[in-house]
Amino acid sequence: MKYPDAMKGRNQSTATEFILLGYSGLPNPPVLLFVMVLVTYMIILLGNILIILITLADPGLHTPMYFFLRILSFLEICFTAVTIPEMLVKLLAVEKSISFSRCAAQMYFLISVGGTECCLLAIMAYDRYVAICHPLLYTSIMNKSVCLQLVGVAWLSSNLVTLMHVTWLFNLPFCTSNQIDHFFCDAPPVLELVCGNTYMIEIEALTSTVVFVVIPFLLIFWSYLYILTTILKMPSAAGRRKTFSTCSSHLTVVVLSFSTTGLTYFQPKSSISPSSSKFWSICYTVLTPLLNPVVYTLRNNEVKGALRRIFCRLLSSWGQL
């Protein structure tokens, strides 16, 4: 994760609130922008809730793959709930400030949910690897207990590491300036306000990023190398297409998530500008959760089939009334 150099030689102060500068320069009042963000948020909520309800309602989707998809949709709901409602309030509020404790809480939930989601995407890749490369062992390897344990470890480890990071960061001395050049409390812009030497916490942040972003990405890459090798060995072209179709939705979401994450946190310092940092952060926190349910409903034939069956049952029930 990229962090700016420590700011030195400035007076320290006890911060009670931060001013979010990301909203400066917007039209006043930003009614059109508020409506756009609100509509986007409603689409994110409805889309991900729809995914959860469809995969719960159809017995054919009660498999590990769709269990993980339900967890992913739930995480997307939590992820956007941390940032977008606050953004809506700030768009209409006169004071664009956020309290010290609220900033810490927002950062904690943002990073912990994001870390859990990266791990979950790696777990979903492993699920596809076992299903395609070891189909006879799939039900014994990916049983209900193992699925719950994998999700539990991902959630617990991400939360513990994030709690340590946020607690450490918000116990450091902050400088006189309390202005964050961002729309919400992300770690890099908040760390800019810290006085003194931040070398150790930067090392800790980099290590955490490697564990929860780089390693999951490498595991996904490794899984898909084996998956691709197995698919290419299949004699039937129709079989290859059908098998790959079970992975295409997940692979699309992986590309969306890790590309926006990488552009947010792994750009060279020399190429970083506040505007580009804010742009990629918005893509990471809004665009990806918006597109995930679209990808899984438009590119997944099983989900589309389940949705059609649910509509048919509803229409049949209404016809009998």
Side-chain angles (χ1 to χ4, degrees):
M1 185 180 290
K2 61 174 173 47
Y3 283 95
D5 295 331
M7 292 185 175
K8 299 179 180 180
R10 293 189 296 178
N11 296 327
Q12 298 180 6
S13 67
T14 303
T16 58
E17 67 176 15
F18 296 107
I19 307 299
L20 299 171
L21 299 181
Y23 299 92
S24 61
L26 297 178
N28 189 26
V31 177
L32 180 59
L33 183 58
F34 176 86
V35 172
M36 290 173 60
V37 174
L38 178 61
V39 170
T40 301
Y41 185 48
M42 296 304 298
I43 294 173
I44 291 171
L45 290 181
L46 292 175
N48 284 287
I49 290 172
L50 184 63
I51 290 289
I52 294 172
L53 294 178
I54 291 172
T55 56
L56 283 174
D58 193 289
L61 302 184
H62 291 180
T63 62
M65 174 181 174
Y66 292 103
F67 167 73
F68 295 133
L69 178 56
R70 286 193 292 274
I71 300 297
L72 179 64
S73 293
F74 175 73
L75 289 175
E76 296 288 28
I77 292 171
C78 296
F79 193 71
T80 52
V82 175
T83 54
I84 298 183
E86 186 80 22
M87 290 173 63
L88 291 170
V89 172
K90 292 294 181 287
L91 282 172
L92 298 182
V94 176
E95 294 293 332
K96 314 297 184 182
S97 61
I98 184 170
S99 68
F100 185 88
S101 58
R102 193 176 184 87
C103 182
Q106 186 181 65
M107 186 187 300
Y108 166 75
F109 286 110
L110 182 71
I111 298 175
S112 63
V113 174
T116 304
E117 185 173 321
C118 289
C119 293
L120 182 64
L121 290 172
I123 293 170
M124 294 173 76
Y126 176 70
D127 172 74
R128 291 298 83 208
Y129 159 75
V130 176
I132 294 171
C133 301
H134 303 284
L136 299 179
L137 301 175
Y138 181 70
T139 54
S140 60
I141 295 177
M142 299 303 295
N143 57 61
K144 185 177 181 180
S145 176
V146 170
C147 293
L148 290 172
Q149 289 173 17
L150 288 172
V151 172
V153 169
W155 177 84
L156 184 61
S157 58
S158 180
N159 275 266
L160 289 176
V161 172
T162 302
L163 180 62
M164 180 187 70
H165 177 74
V166 174
T167 302
W168 187 356
L169 175 57
F170 279 84
N171 276 283
L172 293 174
F174 286 89
C175 297
T176 303
S177 175
N178 65 340
Q179 297 179 338
I180 301 174
D181 193 7
H182 215 295
F183 295 102
F184 51 85
C185 287
D186 204 0
V190 173
L191 192 59
E192 288 187 22
L193 306 182
V194 173
C195 293
N197 190 348
T198 59
Y199 176 76
M200 292 305 299
I201 193 171
E202 290 185 36
I203 294 298
E204 180 273 330
L206 178 62
T207 304
S208 301
T209 305
V210 169
V211 170
F212 290 103
V213 179
V214 177
I215 292 179
F217 178 78
L218 292 177
L219 290 173
I220 292 169
F221 183 75
W222 171 83
S223 297
Y224 274 102
L225 279 180
Y226 279 92
I227 290 170
L228 184 60
T229 301
T230 302
I231 290 175
L232 292 176
K233 290 179 181 179
M234 293 180 178
S236 168
R240 289 195 295 268
R241 285 194 299 270
K242 183 178 179 181
T243 304
F244 185 75
S245 68
T246 65
C247 305
S248 60
S249 298
H250 174 257
L251 195 55
T252 303
V253 170
V254 166
V255 172
L256 286 171
S257 297
F258 282 93
S259 61
T260 52
T261 303
L263 289 168
T264 302
Y265 295 113
F266 288 99
Q267 294 185 70
K269 287 184 179 182
S270 59
S271 66
I272 297 171
S273 68
S275 57
S276 66
S277 177
K278 286 182 283 188
F279 173 77
W280 290 116
S281 293
I282 292 298
C283 289
Y284 178 53
T285 55
V286 177
L287 184 61
T288 303
L290 175 66
L291 293 179
N292 282 359
V294 175
V295 169
Y296 272 104
T297 51
L298 295 182
R299 294 182 60 87
N300 191 299
N301 292 327
E302 290 181 327
V303 173
K304 288 190 288 186
L307 186 57
R308 283 194 295 267
R309 289 191 292 272
I310 292 171
F311 276 129
C312 289
R313 288 201 298 267
L314 290 174
L315 291 174
S316 178
S317 299
W318 290 339
Q320 295 175 2
L321 294 177

